Amino acid sequence: MDPRSRLVSTCQAEAKAYGYTLTIWGGGALLIHAFGTPSPPDVFAYVFGALFGFALLVGYAFDSPLSSGGRDDDQRDGDFLAASTIHFLATPGNLLLAYATILLLAGTGIPHWAAYFAVGTEATLAYNVLTLLEDYIGELLSVPRFQRG
């Protein structure tokens, strides 16, 4: 495999995790800015919030927790818009939602751990929903490929 093809494969494989990492890190940084250094319960609440958000997504996507395939096993490997791997919508869009959530919660006097849990959940849910929107936009903008006969 030539280096450029390998880089294409690597970018495709890492794109969603890379954007999610920026989302989670950015959301945590915004929480620290608003609430100060997190206590151990705050950190655990943030992580459990993210896990809860992912559990909600998995619960929707799969028919059963023991299922090995989703509701729609049709995988399209080749049709994507490279720009959608950069996550210009999902990452900053989610950070705006996280910031709005933090601003709403900061003035309520709720325990810090609850804010961390809420933002962890929101970050996971919103990021994944926004990547679906990016994929849809990518499908609309991608140039159709001609099939070889």
Side-chain angles (χ1 to χ4, degrees):
M1 178 183 287
D2 71 278
R4 187 171 179 186
S5 294
R6 187 175 301 274
L7 184 58
V8 166
S9 177
T10 299
C11 288
Q12 284 178 314
E14 293 178 358
K16 289 216 182 344
Y18 141 84
Y20 184 66
T21 299
L22 295 175
T23 294
I24 288 295
W25 185 91
L30 289 169
L31 281 162
I32 291 168
H33 176 74
F35 295 104
T37 303
S39 67
D42 295 339
V43 173
F44 281 101
Y46 187 56
V47 169
F48 280 112
L51 291 171
F52 178 71
F54 199 73
L56 291 174
L57 293 168
V58 168
Y60 174 76
F62 292 85
D63 291 325
S64 154
L66 302 177
S67 174
S68 61
R71 293 179 185 197
D72 182 4
D73 287 333
D74 179 29
Q75 299 291 328
R76 292 184 332 260
D77 294 322
D79 295 333
F80 81 103
L81 184 65
S84 70
T85 64
I86 301 170
H87 304 300
F88 281 118
L89 176 62
T91 299
N94 183 42
L95 288 178
L96 286 172
L97 289 171
Y99 190 54
T101 302
I102 291 164
L103 290 176
L104 288 171
L105 296 177
T108 65
I110 66 166
H112 290 178
W113 68 263
Y116 277 82
F117 182 85
V119 173
T121 302
E122 175 276 324
T124 299
L125 290 173
Y127 176 75
N128 282 282
V129 169
L130 289 173
T131 59
L132 291 174
L133 179 59
E134 284 179 335
D135 290 345
Y136 176 72
I137 292 169
E139 288 175 12
L140 292 176
L141 298 176
S142 65
V143 177
R145 295 187 179 155
F146 294 99
Q147 303 242 341
R148 297 177 200 212

